[in-house]
Amino acid sequence: MKDFGLENRKYVIAGIAVAIVTVYIIRLFMLQVTSDDYKKSADSNAFLKKVEYPSRGVIHDRHGKLMVYNQPAYDIMVIMNEAKDHIDTLELCQALGITKEYFIERMEQIQDRSKNPGYSRFTQQLFMSQLNDREFSVFQEKMFRFPGFYVQRRSIRCYEYPYAAHVLGDVAEVSPSDIEEDDYYQAGDYIGKLGVERSYEKQLRGEKGIQILLRDAHGRIQGKYQNGALDQKPKAGKDLTLSIDLNLQALGERLMQHKIGSIVAIEPSTGEILCMVSSPTYDARIMTGKNRGKMHTQLLRNVWKPLLNRSIMGQYPPGSTFKTTQGLTFMSEGIIGPGTQFPCSRGFHYRGLRVGCHGHAAPLALVPAISTSCNGYFCWGLYYMIGNKKKYGSVQNAMNTWRDYMVSMGFGYKLGIDLPGEKRGLIPNAQFYDKAYHGSWNGLTVISIAIGQGEVNATPLQIANLGATIANRGYYYVPHVVRKVQDEPLDTAFTRRHYSKADSKAYNYIVQGMRASVLGGTCKALGHYSFNACGKTGTAQNRGRDHSVFMGFAPMDNPKIAVAVYVENGGWGADYGVPIGGLIMEQYINGKLSPASAKRADDFQRKVIFYGSRDR
């Protein structure tokens, strides 16, 4: 009789044997074909692929002064697959001037894929960075005793002057997110973190090279593989020429010492930024070398926030400098003509609403209204525009028309400067007020925007750009801090004209008003200069002492410079904004300050205005 149980066991055993053979075949296939572990191991035994870092591009000011350059430094690299357990750890630590605890911690960090996503035990990993010549010499003498450890020559950034830290930025080790975003980088590489070092990183960094070295069975270097036929030479990064005038920048930073705020100066004919001061600032030279992380932390914790670039990140009420945009809009829309007069009895008074103003002759037309900085005039203009249902049909349409003029003049959106972190400010539209007031509002509700208060916010860069637009009589170029990239044309974004919606003829009246302000109005402190300056003051209301604001340009015809000055808690625009703006104009136009102006500059340098809350 046939034993079916035995027959079945035969098939089961055969199936198990087939399964085992199949698993072995699949595993052999994975090891020999799919996996590259053995190839990597063999390659790492036979070859040493040494990355050669390019020289980072240097940076000059507009006159060719060297601002940023490179100095040699040395990194200690380790290949984990070669690092032997029996090396004398204590001797290695002594050679590098580190503790054993640091050694253990660093080796663990290197192998932690969450912190080092590009980790491979067959490739060089950064162990220590930026050794100087002396430290390198000590280690090099004993390096043969530490298999798996190598020296990688590279360079570190050096900043020649203590100025323009916010413009230049700095360089630091890549983060895991940097590596994920761009496969050019691996752990231990360096990348621009702020300023032009960040925004022009791809031009400045160059291209890495690679050197393939042949090793014998003992790991000793025998020379170049195939006589270097497969090596790739590094390509140096491209040099940058900034539009910054270093002397002007230095003066601006002197004038803003012990103050909070910003100075931005623009060449109207090109959009090139001549100086960009954010105060408080810091010395660019402290953000280099191994102490960079420590200094960055200290600056980050500083209550005055010196890392904040207030020129493009500070969002402030523009104050009375904004009245120029109102005059342009009202005239272009036919709300006023050059001879239209409005009353002002120390302010705007209507239906129980009062917006105060200082004493001056009234009624008055547009040019004297700009010259005297009359609040009443521009409040009446906005009231008549927003309430003109015959022309616009509704307050919403009128409001959005007004908004479109402001946007065309460079407000409400980022201008597109070639620096990271720019803020957009705020220009309200009809939807903003419909939401805030549930659809029930009118010109009186929003009257404060006519004088640059209320919901309107702008960056100092936008205020300076307004000065450049008026200087050009109706157009601007996107402001930029890089004048030239080596062997590259300037981005067309910085060479196209942007025209405002305002009528070009309206600009002539605004210029007349700004010139009249210098000859006998709120900017009369500029009247003694030999160049014909044009200006507009601003006193931006604040919970504490008001902010001092100035916007202007010079000369009146064929302007060379447009300037915005914003001094937090500085009081009237004439107190700080006007005199500082005048000194900036004089320095750039004349190339130096007169003896009297140099004394005034020293006086302003010594003035301290750290008012208000420290929590800014």
Side-chain angles (χ1 to χ4, degrees):
M1 189 173 180
K2 195 169 185 179
D3 188 345
F4 288 101
L6 184 61
E7 187 76 18
N8 288 338
R9 283 198 297 273
K10 179 177 71 176
Y11 289 118
V12 171
I13 293 169
I16 292 172
V18 170
I20 291 171
V21 171
T22 303
V23 169
Y24 271 105
I25 291 173
I26 292 172
R27 181 58 179 158
L28 285 170
F29 176 81
M30 291 178 65
L31 288 172
Q32 297 182 28
V33 179
T34 307
S35 174
D36 61 351
D37 279 359
Y38 286 99
K39 183 179 184 300
K40 284 183 177 179
S41 181
D43 284 351
S44 68
N45 288 332
F47 306 110
L48 174 62
K49 293 182 178 179
K50 188 175 182 181
V51 174
E52 292 188 300
Y53 288 94
S55 176
R56 197 169 175 88
V58 300
I59 302 176
H60 299 87
D61 89 328
R62 69 186 293 113
H63 300 299
K65 291 182 180 177
L66 183 63
M67 298 181 72
V68 186
Y69 60 97
N70 305 299
Q71 276 192 345
Y74 305 89
D75 291 346
I76 304 301
M77 314 297 291
V78 60
I79 299 177
M80 289 298 190
N81 199 51
E82 299 175 15
K84 306 300 182 183
D85 294 334
H86 60 267
I87 65 171
D88 189 332
T89 304
L90 183 59
E91 187 176 14
L92 174 65
C93 291
Q94 289 176 343
L96 291 173
I98 59 175
T99 64
K100 186 175 180 180
E101 289 73 23
Y102 176 85
F103 173 84
I104 294 171
E105 180 184 2
R106 185 65 188 131
M107 295 295 272
E108 289 175 350
Q109 289 174 347
I110 290 171
Q111 297 174 82
D112 185 346
R113 293 182 185 273
S114 65
K115 297 179 180 178
N116 185 13
Y119 170 72
S120 169
R121 70 178 189 273
F122 301 111
T123 61
Q124 291 191 12
Q125 304 293 317
L126 177 67
F127 179 76
M128 279 186 67
S129 65
Q130 300 185 5
L131 272 68
N132 57 36
D133 290 335
R134 184 187 59 80
E135 293 168 329
F136 164 67
S137 299
V138 172
F139 178 74
Q140 188 181 38
E141 291 178 1
K142 300 180 179 181
M143 192 170 64
F144 70 94
R145 299 181 184 178
F146 313 124
F149 285 84
Y150 300 90
V151 171
Q152 173 71 63
R153 191 179 189 277
R154 65 189 314 154
S155 59
I156 58 173
R157 288 304 241 182
C158 294
Y159 300 87
E160 182 70 14
Y161 302 97
Y163 309 120
H166 293 100
V167 174
L168 295 172
D170 66 313
V171 174
E173 190 173 339
V174 291
S175 65
S177 60
D178 293 325
I179 297 172
E180 289 178 7
E181 290 173 7
D182 192 337
D183 59 9
Y184 173 88
Y185 302 103
Q186 62 185 32
D189 284 355
Y190 288 82
I191 190 172
K193 290 291 184 181
L194 298 168
V196 294
E197 294 278 21
R198 182 71 178 187
S199 52
Y200 286 85
E201 165 66 14
K202 290 186 177 179
Q203 290 91 339
L204 287 166
R205 74 187 184 188
E207 295 180 20
K208 296 176 189 172
I210 190 167
Q211 193 176 43
I212 305 175
L213 303 175
L214 190 63
R215 302 199 286 198
D216 63 17
H218 299 287
R220 293 172 298 199
I221 303 297
Q222 298 301 300
K224 292 186 177 183
Y225 178 62
Q226 293 187 6
N227 293 320
L230 301 180
D231 291 354
Q232 296 178 10
K233 292 184 178 181
K235 293 183 180 179
K238 296 181 178 180
D239 298 342
L240 299 183
T241 300
L242 301 185
S243 57
I244 297 295
D245 182 310
L246 188 59
N247 291 336
L248 193 66
Q249 182 74 25
L251 174 62
E253 294 191 19
R254 278 182 53 212
L255 295 172
M256 289 299 290
Q257 280 185 24
H258 316 300
K259 305 168 189 68
I260 299 173
S262 170
I263 302 173
V264 179
I266 299 174
E267 184 178 63
S269 61
T270 61
E272 294 176 0
I273 293 177
L274 303 171
C275 79
M276 177 177 281
V277 177
S278 177
S279 181
T281 186
Y282 58 95
D283 188 337
R285 296 172 296 186
I286 69 174
M287 299 290 277
T288 61
K290 290 184 287 187
N291 290 325
R292 189 263 178 194
K294 177 182 177 182
M295 299 309 301
H296 183 266
T297 300
Q298 288 183 9
L299 292 172
L300 203 60
R301 293 174 178 172
N302 189 308
V303 293
W304 300 111
K305 298 185 178 180
L307 287 175
L308 179 69
N309 185 351
R310 289 171 168 81
S311 298
I312 61 174
M313 297 176 181
Q315 299 176 93
Y316 303 100
S320 294
T321 62
F322 204 61
K323 292 172 182 173
T324 56
T325 67
Q326 305 308 289
L328 291 165
T329 302
F330 303 154
M331 182 169 282
S332 300
E333 284 294 293
I335 305 300
I336 63 171
T340 302
Q341 294 188 334
F342 290 124
C344 181
S345 178
R346 287 192 174 270
F348 172 82
H349 305 269
Y350 190 65
R351 293 183 181 179
L353 178 67
R354 179 180 183 274
V355 179
C357 188
H358 57 278
H360 56 74
L364 69 177
L366 177 60
V367 169
I370 291 287
S371 172
T372 60
S373 196
C374 173
N375 285 343
Y377 186 93
F378 297 98
C379 288
W380 281 114
L382 184 75
Y383 174 74
Y384 284 123
M385 178 177 178
I386 300 299
N388 194 335
K389 291 187 178 180
K390 182 177 180 181
K391 182 177 179 66
Y392 302 109
S394 67
V395 294
Q396 284 81 5
N397 289 339
M399 188 72 223
N400 285 338
T401 300
W402 178 90
R403 183 274 319 270
D404 290 343
Y405 273 91
M406 301 306 106
V407 170
S408 76
M409 296 179 202
F411 293 96
Y413 292 90
K414 296 178 183 179
L415 283 167
I417 187 175
D418 50 348
L419 288 174
E422 181 188 5
K423 301 297 183 183
R424 61 182 288 177
L426 175 63
I427 294 295
N429 57 16
Q431 290 73 24
F432 179 94
Y433 287 121
D434 281 343
K435 183 177 180 180
Y437 297 103
H438 307 289
S440 179
W441 56 278
N442 57 36
L444 294 177
T445 314
V446 302
I447 201 70
S448 59
I449 65 176
I451 57 174
Q453 297 287 165
E455 294 73 31
V456 172
N457 272 330
T459 65
L461 175 68
Q462 290 171 331
I463 300 172
N465 188 65
L466 171 63
T469 306
I470 298 172
N472 289 331
R473 277 60 167 179
Y475 67 88
Y476 68 88
Y477 296 94
V478 171
H480 49 285
V481 296
V482 171
R483 193 182 198 190
K484 181 181 178 183
V485 181
Q486 180 184 355
D487 301 325
E488 278 188 22
L490 193 65
D491 192 320
T492 55
F494 305 126
T495 59
R496 292 194 304 268
R497 288 184 178 183
H498 295 259
Y499 287 89
S500 84
K501 284 173 59 68
D503 191 311
S504 58
K505 294 179 181 178
Y507 279 94
N508 293 327
Y509 293 98
I510 298 300
V511 172
Q512 289 177 35
M514 293 176 68
R515 181 59 185 158
S517 180
V518 172
L519 294 176
T522 58
C523 293
K524 58 186 177 183
L526 300 179
H528 69 278
Y529 288 112
S530 59
F531 48 84
N532 294 331
C534 297
K536 180 72 195 76
T537 54
T539 304
Q541 293 176 8
N542 179 44
R543 289 193 185 96
R545 191 181 183 195
D546 292 341
H547 303 320
S548 179
V549 196
F550 168 76
M551 178 270 293
F553 61 90
M556 182 172 74
D557 299 314
N558 300 314
K560 296 180 179 179
I561 184 172
V563 183
V565 180
Y566 209 106
V567 181
E568 292 188 33
N569 311 120
W572 296 101
D575 292 343
Y576 281 89
V578 172
I580 289 176
L583 291 169
I584 293 293
M585 290 177 177
E586 180 184 6
Q587 171 67 42
Y588 186 70
I589 292 174
N590 295 341
K592 62 180 181 179
L593 297 178
S594 68
S597 293
K599 184 179 183 304
R600 281 198 299 274
D602 290 339
D603 292 340
F604 273 97
Q605 181 179 350
R606 287 190 291 267
K607 290 185 178 181
V608 179
I609 324 177
F610 274 169
Y611 288 97
S613 170
R614 286 171 175 259
D615 186 19
R616 295 181 178 276

